[in-house]
Amino acid sequence: MTCYSQVIPFDFDWKFMEDAPGEAYAKQYDDKGWKDVSLPHDFIIERDFTGRNGLGPFLRDIKDSISTGNLPGGTGWYRKHFTLGKIAKEEKVEVVFDGVMVQSDVWINGHHLGFHPNGYTPFHYDITPYLNRNGGENVIAVKAVNTGDNTRWYCGGGIYRSVYLKRSATICFPVWGIQAKTRVEGNGTFVDLSIPVENNTKKTTAVKAAVSIIDHFGAVVSTSESTAKITAEGDTMHATCEIEDARMWSPDNPYLYKAVVKLSNGNRQLDEHEMKIGLRTLYFSSDEGFLLNGESTKLHGGCIHHDNGVVGAAAFMKAEARKVKTLKDNGFNAIRSAHNRPSKALLNACDSLGMFVIDESFDCWLEGKRDNDYHLYFEEWSGRDQAAIVECDRNHPSVLMWSIGNEIPGDQKPEGVEHSRRLAAIVKAYDDSRPVTDGVCSFPLMEGHVHDWLYDKYAALDIWGYNYRLREIAADHILFPDRIIVSTESFPREAYLNYRMEQMLPCYLGSFVWTGMDHIGEVGIGNAIYSSNPDERLAIPTRSWPWYVSFAGDIDLIGNKKAQSYYRDVVWDRSDIEIAVAPYKTGMYELVSKWGWFDELPSWNWQGHEGDTMTVRVYTKSSEVELSLNGRVIDRKPVMSDCVTAEFRVPYEEGTLTAIALSGGCETANKSLTTQSGPYRIELTAEDEYALNRQNEISYVRIRIVDRQGNIVPDATVPLTLEVSGGELLASGNGAPDDMRSFRSATPTTWHGSAIAVLRPTATGAMTLTVSAEGFSSAQATIEVLDKPRKAKYRQ
């Protein structure tokens, strides 16, 4: 059978130059001196301004430095030389971008394909007419512009997500065209497929679409066929596959099938599309809340921005998967991609690891939040961008709902209401199987409650997204009993109140804390300070140089738990008791920003504070706590019911601090913190069993300073030296919000006893990281590098 179908990875062997001449798009342009790069690539994070009013990629005195994390914008150029062999007359070739940050122009062989203004939305171009069809060289050029004042967080720059070529016959599936939906009727589980076919010839042609559903073991569990005569205008075919003994997708059991759809005309295979699918049913109501596969489910969510810490905005597959796994390991079952569409790599990770996603579109509409943000393009581009988001992402079982905006200026004006209806209608036109929401934090009020007038805005929406309106939910439920509510953003210190609310009201689906993980930009919104003036809390939302991190996350920039994550473990019944400690400063007030947390650690290592008073907070749902130090009872206190916290003042001395939780006078749980013997050795842990010898492959190695017993020493601040053989050091750093010197440095310092190294292989064999520090024996971690992946082991 003649076969035209091919998906060609397009991430390798690119050339890059910042601020290249304007004629760099030309096919004959000489790019021999350009830097060799692979995708994904964030060029902004790779700069070095050290000695030029900056430090590493950070630069002082730039516009909107608090938003961008002191990382300035710029213009990057990319070029790639490639051949495709001979291209037949009846073939079509498209280039598909998952995202280019921020505004992009693309050329092929000197021909301008188009401009795209949104760095988060996917787009594609038909490059067939401009290719060298006889097997000669082609050159694609991409210009990526980040003006530096286009978002309220660090967004990155360049081709920071993956690219591929789609090669097919001229009669083919449109990019992202096929849609699969789960349907359960009686005892049967079905996959209904909508299969659009475009016909770029002038002739009506008979075609067949053959569908196979394949399980995790590679066995075909269902097939179906559909035939049609496709005119020049194109048509949509339909097929249904019944799955016997279907395994349903959920966060607890993220089982994925593979759907393969082949398009043929006689003995010619015209196109083929493969995709992972998860079978699940979604039901939402104010009476029952959210039912997943018929089971009541609450959302324990975290908002995240798209950067990956020390690797910047680059959406490496392993970086995105690591982010999802870290959040899931710490109790989250949902993320909100704030405030933009996530990468395909992140959605794939959510599918396979089991994580719900609120897939969000925009942070502004007609009125901007920054001078050069998307409001400049919204009226012309929002319709096609919203459609592309839904088309591209609708087959991911992890996508739970669509959000058409976040805290949109002017959304309650008549034109805002109209755009709300328009965007919701676009979503429903491409996917009517999921609800639509919108994150709103400012409501017009009448008698203390949300005004009925807002129904004009929400008439087209299915779920009300409340940002920071927790205390209005119960009252609004009484006034509007049919309303389904989700907290699209919530404060960290309201975690327990949110939990109680979700247990009390079925209509309340759960909350998404701001944020699940730290991100670059929105500098210092999660910080805490000590002050003699309690009113100073009004002046602490942000920090300046050398801070570059938001610091509002449950998880820090390199993936470690912060104090609020331990608190959330108690709230979400993942732990019965946790302890956190901080020095108490007499006469001073600890002022914490709305998005912040107390400056505390789950540690009894406070050398230098001997005799000083410490604040000890014990988190538990039991009724009281008894605290002892080195066997002496310090005090017994009731647990504050609104925050599951008992707070103590304890003079510091080395030894063991023990908290015993009690209810009805009986012990329910206990926890101890013990002073450690001090830093003893460097411990390295490679997160991967092996790596593949590919340009876009990365591997993480955790670095910890531990004591003789192997426990991390949380107050260890140790300068390190990193060396790599068999690969390269792509990035490194720690979780400190203000340690610019360690960011992407080969000589980082540990913070709270920890650091991270990110390696990239350069050859098969072994890739070894060596870490040394004064006063310590060197440590090594070796990762095997293979040409192809090992066969996966599957466990039911």
Side-chain angles (χ1 to χ4, degrees), residues 65 136 164 202 226 243 262 264 328 438 485 488 610 633 670 700 715 732 736:
S65 60
Y164 67 89
K202 297 179 180 180
S226 180
I243 314 296
K262 296 181 179 181
S264 61
K328 184 164 185 178
D438 185 2
I485 300 171
T488 33
E610 288 77 4
V633 174
N670 66 79
Y700 286 83
D715 58 345
S732 61

Side-chain angles (χ1 to χ4, degrees), residues 248 250-252 281-284 288-298 356:
M248 306 299 282
S250 71
D252 292 333
T281 61
L282 310 176
Y283 176 77
F284 299 87
E288 297 182 83
F290 167 40
L291 303 183
L292 172 68
N293 304 325
E295 298 291 329
S296 179
T297 304
K298 292 295 185 179
F356 289 123

Side-chain angles (χ1 to χ4, degrees), residues 387-435:
I389 290 170
V390 179
E391 275 196 295
C392 186
D393 297 348
R394 61 190 173 183
N395 289 317
H396 289 277
S398 57
V399 175
L400 180 65
M401 62 182 83
W402 308 102
S403 172
I404 58 174
N406 171 70
E407 300 175 0
I408 300 297
D411 63 342
Q412 294 155 16
K413 297 177 181 177
E415 60 269 29
V417 171
E418 183 55 39
H419 282 300
S420 180
R421 292 172 176 160
R422 178 180 64 88
L423 293 173
I426 292 170
V427 171
K428 295 296 186 181
Y430 288 94
D431 177 32
D432 59 3
S433 67
R434 295 176 177 89

Side-chain angles (χ1 to χ4, degrees), residues 3 28 31 72 79 88 242 244 299 358 427 502 650 730 783:
C3 180
Q28 302 304 321
D31 56 24
R79 288 169 59 88
E242 181 174 7
E244 294 184 2
L299 302 178
I358 295 182
V427 171
E502 73 181 41
V650 182
L730 179 68
I783 301 169

